[in-house]
Amino acid sequence: MILQALCGYYDRLAEASDSKVAQPGYELNSVTCCIVLNKEGNVCDVIDMMDEFEVMGSKGKKEKKRQPRRIITPQQPKRAGSRPEPAFLCENANFIFGIYKDRAGADYRFTASRDIHEKVLMDVDDEGARAVLAFYNDRKQGSYQYKDVDTSYLEDGGNIVFLLDGESDFIHNHPKIQVAWNRYLASRSAEAPIGQCLVTGEMLPIARIHGNLGGFGQDKPTVVGFNQDSFVSYRKEKGENAPVSENAAFKYVTALNMLISDRNHCMQMQGDKLLFWAEREAPLEVQAIVGLMEGGTSQPDKTLDEVKNRQIASILDSLYIGKSPGELGLDPHLKFYLLGLSANKTRVVIRYFYVSTFGQLVTRLQLHHQDIHITGPAWESEHPSVNKILFETAVLHKSENVPAPYRSSLIRSVLSGGVYPNSLYMAMLGRIRAEAAANAKTAINRTRVGVIKGCLNRISRQLNHKEGLITVALNKDDKSISYLLGRIFALLEKAQSDALGTVNASVVDKYLNAALASPQQVFPSLLLNAEKHFSKSKKYNIKMRIREIMEDIPSDGYPKTLNAEDQGRFLVGYYHQQQDIYTKKDNLDLKQEEGRTKNSAQNHEEVI
């Protein structure tokens, strides 16, 4: 099913009128430089093919980065072992110039690179072919220095291509050379075993080794591979254990590499990759999914005009407030595919594969954002991305510390609409408790508390406890004791702030963990110590607010301990009350608040 969907995606792109998709025998490769040859095969120049672009650095300043240019070249072989197979007209300096760490490896690479070019180009009537052969006969092993030619770009490593002096297109794109390359590939296919392809069902040459996937760092993993005797069955070798035709193997590998290299179809998730594509060309629907996954409004797509980008931004705003795709002129029945991948050295791990309609996918993503949405400051993301959520579980906020199981389990719960993983909930609680003593303001942030709220709400919904659902903002009707204690804790912090201003360690910094673990021991002493803060606080009548909340505390007093669920409600109550304190209110609300406080003070004794 997965390979069939990927082959279908390749066929759709290849059939497009403006298609720039690699054909069988070719692939999209990263190239760092180009050697320019004259007709006699002499090196005239070396051209830098590294593209320069600007990115926003960690200090908020633009920084210049360089990356290899991606072009279509002859397909490179999968390499392994001490005698890897050479590539054709797109190769690195190790093979072209015989530069390697040991003499035997250098000799092999230098000779193997010449042999494959001679085998393919020997009888080709083309100036480019003759120039390449002459170059290979005249080069010197272990050196890429040429008189009066700046070859410093060859030091960058990476793939190298060839260009004939005076021409604008690369030598590997010469029609006669392409014919020779295809003839060479056909001769190799004739040696392959014939079998029934598991993807197409046709009797075709079976791929012995499947192609590599890029985008996983130094690892070049494969989806299908049998590199150990323990993996084989019935004495079948390599790809014969999972018969996929050479044509189908090429299509699905090419499709995967195209998806991985396209930010509109690939989402990086702290080491994992989430690929998604539609059954037909649908830029608006695809951009909508990108925006909902990444949170906020998606970045403008450079391939679309300004009008389209504004339309996409408007669509995202509407989807966030709950409008259906049909209301926005989108196709809710469009089929979407989602594939989660990670690498385990040389092998790809498929984490999940979902086939869904656009409408159902949007509904699940809307529910996700609705569940984790919580009131908060404007400078914190209102709709955190999946990456942002994962980032908040990491020790020291380092992406490499994100536990691997969270990546796939979080996506599964989002796409299925089911309960969020309990490990995610406990991770958010754990990070808050671990970091609160150092800096409670950053530890208890909008994303973490929002995820805690979402986890609790999904559990309540699963148990059909609608009355237990937590609201987006402060809910004065919520009488659960853990929520009330959280609200009181926030007011105690505010009383301290009003009385003393900025302090080195606030009430939250010192006592949050104790309040979560043993409220019965902590709160009486906190309230007693707060009396001196109340007398100094003139801006807000915090004491009266606390007294009103205390009326809803059960007569048997504070609980001895709070379990994990109650600790989450405590933190939500604290965060809700904190945001309510600092939320600007209009004059009418302020007058009503002052009148309510004054009346309460007159009618009740001030006893806490």
Side-chain angles (χ1 to χ4, degrees):
M1 180 65 181
I2 298 175
L3 302 188
Q4 287 176 329
L6 290 167
C7 288
Y9 178 69
Y10 173 88
D11 289 335
R12 176 167 65 79
L13 295 183
E15 291 170 2
S17 57
D18 58 344
S19 174
K20 296 182 180 179
V21 178
Q23 298 300 312
Y26 295 82
E27 65 183 355
L28 192 65
N29 266 321
S30 298
V31 177
T32 58
C33 61
C34 172
I35 295 176
V36 181
L37 304 176
N38 62 19
K39 295 180 181 180
E40 289 73 35
N42 299 317
V43 177
C44 303
D45 195 8
V46 176
I47 301 174
D48 179 25
M49 293 188 66
M50 297 286 286
D51 292 327
E52 195 172 83
F53 61 98
E54 288 185 344
V55 297
M56 193 63 68
S58 58
K59 297 182 179 180
K61 295 182 179 180
K62 290 185 177 180
E63 299 177 355
K64 290 186 176 180
K65 296 282 187 179
R66 283 164 54 85
Q67 67 180 12
R69 190 178 307 171
R70 293 181 65 79
I71 63 173
I72 294 177
T73 70
Q75 189 173 13
Q76 293 185 318
K78 180 178 179 180
R79 289 171 170 167
S82 60
R83 298 174 69 83
E85 189 177 345
F88 177 68
L89 288 180
C90 178
E91 187 58 276
N92 58 54
N94 292 350
F95 279 81
I96 295 176
F97 299 103
I99 301 174
Y100 198 63
K101 58 186 177 181
D102 63 76
R103 183 57 183 270
D107 291 344
Y108 165 76
R109 286 162 174 76
F110 187 75
T111 303
S113 187
R114 179 199 62 203
D115 290 347
I116 187 173
H117 288 86
E118 287 184 349
K119 190 170 185 177
V120 177
L121 300 176
M122 185 57 69
D123 299 324
V124 178
D125 183 16
D126 181 87
E127 289 183 342
R130 289 191 287 271
V132 169
L133 292 177
F135 163 78
Y136 270 97
N137 287 329
D138 293 340
R139 68 202 164 122
K140 295 180 180 180
Q141 183 175 344
S143 173
Y144 47 73
Q145 303 299 324
Y146 289 87
K147 187 178 180 181
D148 300 328
V149 178
D150 180 9
T151 59
S152 59
Y153 294 128
L154 295 173
E155 298 175 1
D156 294 337
N159 290 321
I160 303 167
V161 293
F162 296 89
L163 180 71
L164 197 61
D165 189 25
E167 293 187 354
S168 59
D169 204 359
F170 301 108
I171 290 177
H172 64 256
N173 288 331
H174 287 195
K176 291 183 179 179
I177 291 179
Q178 289 185 334
V179 171
W181 175 241
N182 291 334
R183 184 169 56 244
Y184 171 77
L185 294 176
S187 66
R188 297 186 60 177
S189 295
E191 302 172 2
I194 303 298
Q196 186 175 31
C197 176
L198 293 177
V199 178
T200 65
E202 300 175 325
M203 298 298 294
L204 295 169
I206 299 301
R208 186 170 181 269
I209 298 176
H210 294 209
N212 301 82
L213 301 186
F216 290 94
Q218 295 182 346
D219 295 329
K220 298 292 182 180
T222 57
V223 177
V224 179
F226 299 85
N227 57 350
Q228 299 289 341
D229 291 341
S230 57
F231 300 155
V232 305
S233 61
Y234 296 100
R235 299 182 181 179
K236 294 183 182 293
E237 295 184 356
K238 303 292 182 180
E240 294 179 46
N241 289 274
V244 176
S245 66
E246 292 180 342
N247 191 45
F250 166 80
K251 286 182 179 180
Y252 89 74
V253 171
T254 303
L256 281 174
N257 280 318
M258 286 191 296
L259 290 167
I260 290 171
S261 62
D262 185 354
R263 75 173 185 87
N264 288 328
H265 292 86
C266 177
M267 181 177 171
Q268 305 290 339
M269 292 183 55
Q270 312 295 344
D272 287 2
K273 298 182 188 299
L274 171 60
L275 311 181
F276 45 90
W277 68 98
E279 63 179 348
R280 61 171 175 80
E281 187 70 17
L284 292 179
E285 285 81 357
V286 169
Q287 283 294 321
I289 297 301
V290 173
L292 291 173
M293 284 285 190
E294 294 185 346
T297 303
S298 66
Q299 295 296 318
D301 186 351
K302 296 180 181 180
T303 63
L304 302 176
D305 57 36
E306 185 178 354
V307 175
K308 283 288 186 184
N309 278 313
R310 287 182 179 179
Q311 185 180 4
I312 291 168
S314 176
I315 287 172
L316 282 173
D317 291 339
S318 299
L319 290 176
Y320 278 125
I321 63 176
K323 286 192 175 182
S324 66
E327 295 178 82
L328 305 173
L330 304 177
D331 182 5
H333 305 295
L334 176 67
K335 184 181 289 187
F336 257 83
Y337 302 90
L338 298 98
L339 178 64
L341 303 177
S342 63
N344 182 8
K345 293 185 177 180
T346 60
R347 194 172 301 279
V348 169
V349 179
I350 296 177
R351 297 294 184 185
Y352 45 82
F353 179 62
Y354 286 95
V355 181
S356 182
T357 63
F358 176 71
Q360 186 180 45
L361 190 55
V362 166
T363 300
R364 296 286 166 77
L365 289 169
Q366 286 175 326
L367 178 63
H368 162 68
H369 285 293
Q370 173 189 325
D371 282 340
I372 67 173
H373 185 220
I374 194 167
T375 185
W379 53 267
E380 286 194 76
S381 176
E382 183 178 5
H383 305 290
S385 67
V386 175
N387 264 328
K388 171 65 173 172
I389 293 172
L390 292 172
F391 186 69
E392 291 294 344
T393 68
V395 177
L396 301 177
H397 279 91
K398 292 184 177 180
S399 58
E400 60 266 26
N401 292 335
V402 175
Y406 295 175
R407 305 167 193 164
S408 55
S409 59
L410 174 58
I411 285 293
R412 287 194 189 99
S413 61
V414 171
L415 298 180
S416 66
V419 176
Y420 291 115
N422 186 62
S423 57
L424 177 68
Y425 177 80
M426 296 305 297
M428 292 300 182
L429 282 180
R431 293 320 314 150
I432 289 175
R433 298 192 63 169
E435 298 173 16
N439 192 335
K441 290 183 178 180
T442 58
I444 309 174
N445 59 49
R446 189 175 189 176
T447 300
R448 285 176 175 171
V449 179
V451 171
I452 288 172
K453 165 185 171 283
C455 290
L456 294 175
N457 277 356
R458 290 208 170 185
I459 293 173
S460 297
R461 192 180 298 121
Q462 185 187 48
L463 298 175
N464 201 28
H465 292 166
K466 294 182 179 180
E467 68 281 357
L469 293 177
I470 301 173
T471 56
V472 174
L474 179 65
N475 180 13
K476 295 182 180 180
D477 295 327
D478 189 336
K479 305 303 181 183
S480 61
I481 190 167
S482 53
Y483 186 84
L484 296 174
L485 291 176
R487 291 181 59 192
I488 293 173
F489 202 58
L491 291 170
L492 290 173
E493 180 188 33
K494 179 59 178 172
Q496 181 191 49
S497 175
D498 289 344
L500 305 179
T502 303
V503 294
N504 291 330
S506 68
V507 170
V508 181
D509 296 331
K510 288 183 176 180
Y511 298 106
L512 176 64
N513 283 315
L516 289 172
S518 306
Q520 190 179 75
Q521 295 181 6
V522 174
F523 271 89
S525 59
L526 285 179
L527 290 166
L528 182 62
N529 293 334
E531 286 293 338
K532 57 185 178 181
H533 297 156
F534 296 148
S535 61
K536 296 180 181 179
S537 177
K538 299 178 180 179
K539 191 174 181 181
Y540 295 95
N541 196 336
I542 300 298
K543 183 175 182 179
M544 188 55 60
R545 293 191 185 187
I546 293 177
R547 193 211 58 75
E548 290 177 353
I549 297 173
M550 291 289 294
E551 290 180 351
D552 294 318
I553 299 292
S555 58
D556 55 352
Y558 309 102
K560 291 183 179 180
T561 61
L562 296 178
N563 60 27
E565 180 181 342
D566 287 333
Q567 288 182 22
R569 286 188 176 273
F570 178 102
L571 290 170
V572 175
Y574 165 81
Y575 190 80
H576 274 170
Q577 185 65 65
Q578 185 190 54
Q579 296 306 311
D580 183 74
I581 291 172
Y582 294 103
T583 298
K584 292 183 179 179
K585 301 179 181 180
D586 57 35
N587 293 332
L588 178 61
D589 288 340
L590 288 174
K591 289 180 180 179
Q592 291 175 344
E593 178 72 14
E594 290 172 359
R596 181 189 60 79
T597 303
K598 185 177 181 180
N599 292 334
S600 298
Q602 293 174 349
N603 297 331
H604 300 281
E605 295 180 2
E606 296 191 10
V607 178
I608 296 182

